[in-house]
Amino acid sequence: MIRRMATDARTATNPTPEFPAFPDTFLWGVSTSAHQIEGAVDEREPSVWDVFTAEPGRVKDGSTAAVACDHYHRYREDVALLAGLGVDAYRFSVSWPRAVFAGGRGLDFYDRLVDELCAAGVRPVPTLFHWDLPVTLDWLDRDTAARFAEYVSVVAERLGDRVTKWITLNEPAEHTLLGHALGAHAPGRQLLFDALPVAHHQLLAHGLAVRALRAAGASDIGIANSHGPTWPASQDSADVAAADFYDVLLNQLFADPVLLGEYPAGIGELMPGDVEADLKVIAEPVDWYGINYYAPTRVGAPQGTEIEFGGLTMPADLPFSVRQIEGVPVTDFGWPVVPEALTELLTGFRERYGDRLPPVVITENGCSYEGIDDQDRIAYLDGHVRALHRALAAGVDVRGYFVWSLLDNFEWAEGYARRFGLVHVDRETLERTPKASYAWFRDLLRAQR
Ligand code: FCB
């Protein structure tokens, strides 16, 4: 049932009186990931990100995540911030290199965190892989998928009495593209299309993890894939073909195997192993489908030159070129702000996958802006929550929305230069200061109840 409810004017910082009401059961949350906030590197095994950040020039401000937000030691304060926000759920990730530390004692941290969350009335939603692969492993090896399933079983055994909602992987697309094809993220490989096995092995790991979770009694399982509409630079056939290809790489290559049990045309042949058999594992039914959405991409035919875009350098020999979207605001990261593309994405998913699409959860959405009085972030989130509501009204079964992110954190190759948090973190003192957007989101949630 969808209720209409006006914002409570006495508590609201939301300047807009009528915010569309979401279903009573809608899950509101915020997201983080282990490597970006935890710190405490001595209390875990090394990951590929530790090696990568130690290499000069890899991270723009030369920083590392050795301390990050020191969430490992300050998690109680951070859970109090979540409680103050009034979110239903908190999406965090379990660090695989921490989980295996000291014969499994590293998992004690997540035990404490989950207890703290439950005591605060916030539902824990762990992601089991958010890019921080143990340094001894490699996604080019098929065996890493099996090792992942073993680790997932151990985590499920340990936390499954209190955790009732799970995410297998975060954005295997970005981990493949940025980490293995372009070399902008750990482990820093530039394999271009030879990186495709990394995608396949992660998808296989996802399917095996779904099975491992079910075997451990879990029932509410999803994946967090990154998606966004791809817009051709023009209607010229070369631009349309390039945009279609990009759409295959970013969207279909990761959604089709999970939702349809098949690769888009021409991709399966490029994958290693017994692909048909693996697809049966990859398509193990999920209970919901997580989408991380930030922005659409305009794509045209190759231009024969290197392209700098959103912090990335794309080589000249790719079969497409990413272009600016003109006439829209951009975040500090240079990412275009186009809320209506979220509605387009979701209705497009519904059209493409029909009844094969389970309920959808937006597992990440957010923006990087400086400042504590972050009106730009409020405008971004306001626009996207409304766009989400339009998708709901158009019949897409959306069940939740998670803001990226709770805290300003280690934004991968950008270091600490990009601030995505609802809460400001002082880089010297690590002091937390809720921003204007924190109050805005809190008031939105209050008004929805
Ligand atoms: C996503 C990642 C997340 C964060 C945001 C800004 O691609 O999943 O860790 O870096 O982008």
Side-chain angles (χ1 to χ4, degrees):
M1 194 212 29
I2 298 184
R3 287 177 290 119
R4 284 223 148 256
M5 192 191 279
T7 305
D8 182 345
R10 283 162 307 175
T11 53
T13 55
N14 175 8
T16 314
E18 276 283 324
F19 210 93
F22 284 73
D24 291 342
T25 51
F26 197 80
L27 201 66
W28 296 97
V30 291
S31 298
T32 63
S33 90
H35 188 78
Q36 293 176 275
I37 63 168
E38 284 179 2
V41 274
D42 297 339
E43 316 261 352
R44 60 164 172 77
E45 297 297 330
S47 85
V48 293
W49 267 96
D50 299 316
V51 174
F52 184 78
T53 48
E55 292 167 11
R58 292 295 205 179
V59 175
K60 289 192 182 140
D61 60 3
S63 61
T64 76
V67 176
C69 305
D70 196 28
H71 170 76
Y72 183 88
H73 297 109
R74 297 170 194 241
Y75 70 95
R76 286 202 176 85
E77 189 186 341
D78 295 338
V79 172
L81 285 164
L82 291 165
L85 201 49
V87 284
D88 304 307
Y90 172 51
R91 176 184 170 222
F92 59 98
S93 78
V94 175
S95 155
W96 188 353
R98 196 178 302 288
V100 296
F101 180 70
R105 283 207 314 280
L107 270 178
D108 293 355
F109 169 68
Y110 300 103
D111 241 340
R112 295 193 292 273
L113 174 62
V114 165
D115 279 347
E116 192 77 10
L117 288 165
C118 292
V122 177
R123 190 170 174 189
V125 184
T127 306
L128 292 155
F129 177 69
H130 198 127
W131 302 353
D132 48 351
L133 189 72
V135 79
T136 48
L137 297 175
D138 187 335
W139 283 118
L140 281 173
D141 297 336
R142 182 184 172 85
D143 187 48
T144 300
R147 301 286 299 276
F148 181 65
E150 288 164 16
Y151 142 76
V152 167
S153 299
V154 173
V155 179
E157 187 66 34
R158 187 72 181 271
L159 304 180
D161 55 338
R162 288 149 293 156
V163 168
T164 56
K165 195 175 188 72
W166 299 87
I167 299 174
T168 55
L169 306 181
N170 179 70
E171 297 190 356
E174 259 64 26
H175 192 56
T176 306
L177 178 76
L178 303 178
H180 298 77
L182 299 180
H185 277 190
R189 292 201 178 106
Q190 287 177 294
L191 300 174
L192 296 180
F193 288 97
D194 291 339
L196 281 171
V198 170
H200 185 69
H201 295 149
Q202 286 180 89
L203 286 165
L204 181 62
H206 157 77
L208 291 172
V210 174
R211 289 186 175 174
L213 287 166
R214 294 223 192 279
S219 59
D220 194 355
I221 306 168
I223 184 171
N225 265 331
S226 57
H227 293 298
T230 305
W231 294 343
S234 78
Q235 288 311 310
D236 284 1
S237 58
D239 285 338
V240 172
D244 284 350
F245 185 64
Y246 187 91
D247 188 45
V248 168
L249 283 187
L250 177 71
N251 294 315
Q252 298 167 19
L253 194 151
F254 294 89
D256 287 12
V258 172
L259 298 175
L260 305 177
E262 61 194 33
Y263 276 115
I267 299 288
E269 312 62 304
L270 305 173
M271 295 304 195
D274 183 348
V275 175
E276 281 312 306
D278 289 351
L279 280 166
K280 292 201 169 54
V281 180
I282 295 169
E284 195 66 49
V286 284
D287 301 290
W288 53 277
Y289 189 81
I291 293 182
N292 296 353
Y293 169 76
Y294 288 90
T297 314
R298 193 177 295 291
V299 177
Q303 293 178 306
T305 53
E306 261 190 15
I307 293 183
E308 298 285 334
F309 191 83
L312 273 183
T313 306
M314 304 205 188
D317 50 350
L318 289 175
F320 51 78
S321 62
V322 175
R323 313 280 176 85
Q324 293 296 341
I325 295 177
E326 306 293 341
V328 299
V330 291
T331 68
D332 286 353
F333 218 142
W335 296 358
V337 179
V338 193
E340 53 277 19
L342 176 57
T343 317
E344 179 188 325
L345 175 71
L346 291 170
T347 52
F349 253 75
R350 172 75 202 163
E351 264 163 43
R352 180 171 173 85
Y353 298 105
D355 293 341
R356 307 287 288 273
L357 182 66
V360 171
V361 175
I362 300 301
T363 33
E364 284 181 28
N365 178 237
C367 49
S368 61
Y369 287 112
E370 288 295 314
I372 290 178
D373 184 20
D374 53 343
Q375 299 301 321
D376 287 338
R377 178 171 289 102
I378 293 176
Y380 179 100
L381 297 176
D382 181 292
H384 284 78
V385 173
R386 288 173 196 279
L388 186 60
H389 195 272
R390 285 195 290 279
L392 204 61
V396 186
D397 185 3
V398 190
R399 303 273 178 98
Y401 175 80
F402 287 68
V403 174
W404 182 273
S405 182
L406 176 66
L407 305 169
D408 291 342
N409 58 44
F410 179 75
E411 178 48 37
W412 309 112
E414 300 284 318
Y416 297 98
R418 306 291 171 207
R419 293 182 177 272
F420 277 88
L422 298 174
V423 175
H424 178 271
V425 178
D426 184 289
R427 283 315 318 149
E428 298 300 315
T429 63
L430 301 181
E431 189 189 345
R432 277 82 162 135
T433 308
K435 303 180 188 177
S437 57
Y438 176 97
W440 174 86
F441 196 44
R442 178 198 63 203
D443 291 349
L444 168 63
L445 302 190
R446 281 184 189 163
Q448 288 290 328
R449 299 204 167 107

